[in-house]
Amino acid sequence: MKLSVIPSSLTSRLILLGIVLLLTGALGRTVLLSDYLRDDLQKQTAEQLLAIANYVAQDIERDLADRQSLLERIAGNLGRVTSPAERYALLGQAQNLNPLFSQGMLLVDRDGRVSLDYPVLPGRSGSSLADRAYFKTALAGKASIGQPFIDAPATGAILPMAVPVRDANGLVTKVLVGYSALHSANFMAALYATRIGNSGGLLLVSPEYRLFIAASDEGKVLRPTPADGVNPMHDRAMRGFRGTGITVNAAGIEEIAATASVPSGNWFVVARLPTKEALAPLERLRSFILKNTAIILPAFIVFMIIVMRSMLRPLMETARRADLMTLGEIPLATLPVARKDEVGHLTGAFNRMLSKLLESRAELAHMAHHDPLTGLPNRKLLADRMSQALARAQRNRTRIAILFLDLDGFKPINDRFGHEAGDQALVEVARRVGGMLRQEDTLARIGGDEFVILLSDLAENAERVVAKVAEKCLSVFEPDFVIGGQSCRLSTSIGIALGDADGDQLLIAADQAMYRAKEQGRGRYCWA
Ligand SMILES: Nc1nc2c(ncn2[C@@H]2O[C@H](COP(=O)(O)OP(=O)(O)OP(=O)(O)O)[C@@H](O)[C@H]2O)c(=O)[nH]1
């Protein structure tokens, strides 16, 4: 990802990250759930279809068994009567008691000719069934179910069933045939009417005749089954496979299918449902998650903006105040630590850094205004104090005094005892002279062995006061100095200037007066 597309604001980045996580989460959930649920749904659908197929197959099996046993009972009774009228009455009675053969019953002679039909319908009596396989099987002494056929469009497909009629010796004398309309209410009407889902349904298949015997889809009834190779699962079912599977039907639609046997008819029931429909809940779940995410997203963004702003407010405030400090719009000062979190930590660190900065700034300021050896104010600070004192003097009609001190014969001390010993002597001079001054007076070191005393707010008796200070100053040099372990004498020459106008002029005047003191023998003071 190019850096330029990442927003520079932390809030925007976190919101962007949140959106990415939210979308990834939604997408991840959709993909993972889809995979997990797809298998589950397919398995569950297959199990349900198998249960339906088994249930329908058992129902048909029972219907066939009921019909066969009814037919056998009637055939048994027929064997005991001989006159056509009695036989007709017997058939009528049986039909009235249990109308399982909705299209009636036929009594067929051994040569295949229909000798009796109930109810009497045009064209049936006298017709021949000699070529029908079910007739031949029944004639051979075995109950049989024939290939369904359509007699008249109104009745739909009819299923013929046949049983042998035996005489007292057990010989097959006739064949009793029963016709059931497949879609009659007490037969397979339910199968015809059953839909599984919107586009799924049931099929009853005869592998023997390669026919759809019954189907939820009326258009398939008595139509040939697909050719081999068109529908792999159908091919397996035709070869005897019973169970569940996923296949592609003749129309090219993938479907989940389950098969169950109807042994009496040598048929099998297929319960099927297009996979797309079976997995529809998955699609609904997917679109629910995506819609949900689309609804949540704006709320999430608003929530994130509010939370981020509230969490980052102290940070923004810290940055704002730090900006103002660097621009000099507010004084450097520590910031309040509002919270004990990372922002609080950062603010604390900022405060500590600021303290260090203030300390080193104070140190620098001190260094800029003080003599590093003696710690006394330097020439710059002296100039500041002089200008302040002069301003006061002009305001209050007072004067200031400058006492310019230059040590006498300091060079030989340096030469004799070394520079370090000379430094000690300078520090001692600063200590002694500084010690005899008042708090409000200023002692500055402005050069190698040059010191200046600034006395301010002097009134009428200025000369007397200043002279006294100059004398005291000379007196502090009277005790010997211990330099390099040896006692030495040290003195100073002092030039004094009094005034209230120009500080530089006062300094020059005091300096010149100091030179005169040197000329007059050193260890004394001279007035400018
Ligand atoms: N130890 C030390 N010596 C310094 C320092 N700054 C200046 N000096 C020395 O102080 C001396 C001052 O020179 P001068 O005032 O001409 O020497 P002086 O012997 O006092 O002469 P007069 O003022 O005429 O009495 C020089 O030798 C400088 O090297 C310092 O910080 N430490």
Side-chain angles (χ1 to χ4, degrees), residues 312-389:
L312 296 178
R313 191 171 297 124
L315 188 68
M316 307 299 285
E317 181 59 15
T318 302
R320 191 185 67 83
R321 291 178 71 166
D323 270 349
L324 291 176
M325 284 181 207
T326 53
L327 291 172
E329 289 177 22
I330 58 171
L332 293 180
T334 53
L335 300 170
V337 180
R339 289 201 299 241
K340 281 187 177 171
D341 56 10
E342 288 84 346
V343 176
H345 189 176
L346 184 72
T347 313
F350 173 83
N351 286 343
R352 284 191 294 280
M353 209 167 75
L354 190 68
S355 304
K356 288 235 181 258
L357 178 73
L358 291 171
E359 269 171 33
S360 53
R361 209 165 77 154
E363 216 169 289
L364 278 177
H366 187 269
M367 277 164 68
H369 292 94
H370 292 82
D371 164 40
L373 178 66
T374 58
L376 292 177
N378 62 11
R379 186 183 283 274
K380 190 170 185 309
L381 184 53
L382 175 70
D384 285 351
R385 297 222 177 138
M386 271 168 64
S387 59
Q388 284 170 18

Side-chain angles (χ1 to χ4, degrees), residues 61-82:
E61 181 68 18
R62 199 172 45 245
D63 284 346
L64 290 175
D66 288 351
R67 278 167 173 75
Q68 190 177 320
S69 73
L70 176 63
L71 219 48
E72 279 167 349
R73 269 203 316 279
I74 299 169
N77 293 337
L78 283 173
R80 285 190 283 279
V81 293
T82 49

Side-chain angles (χ1 to χ4, degrees), residues 373 406-412 414 419 422-423 426 445 448-449 518 522:
L373 178 66
D406 188 295
L407 301 187
D408 301 326
F410 185 65
K411 190 171 179 303
N414 256 346
H419 201 266
D423 280 357
L426 289 171
R445 182 177 173 224
D449 62 349
K518 289 252 185 215
R522 303 167 196 264

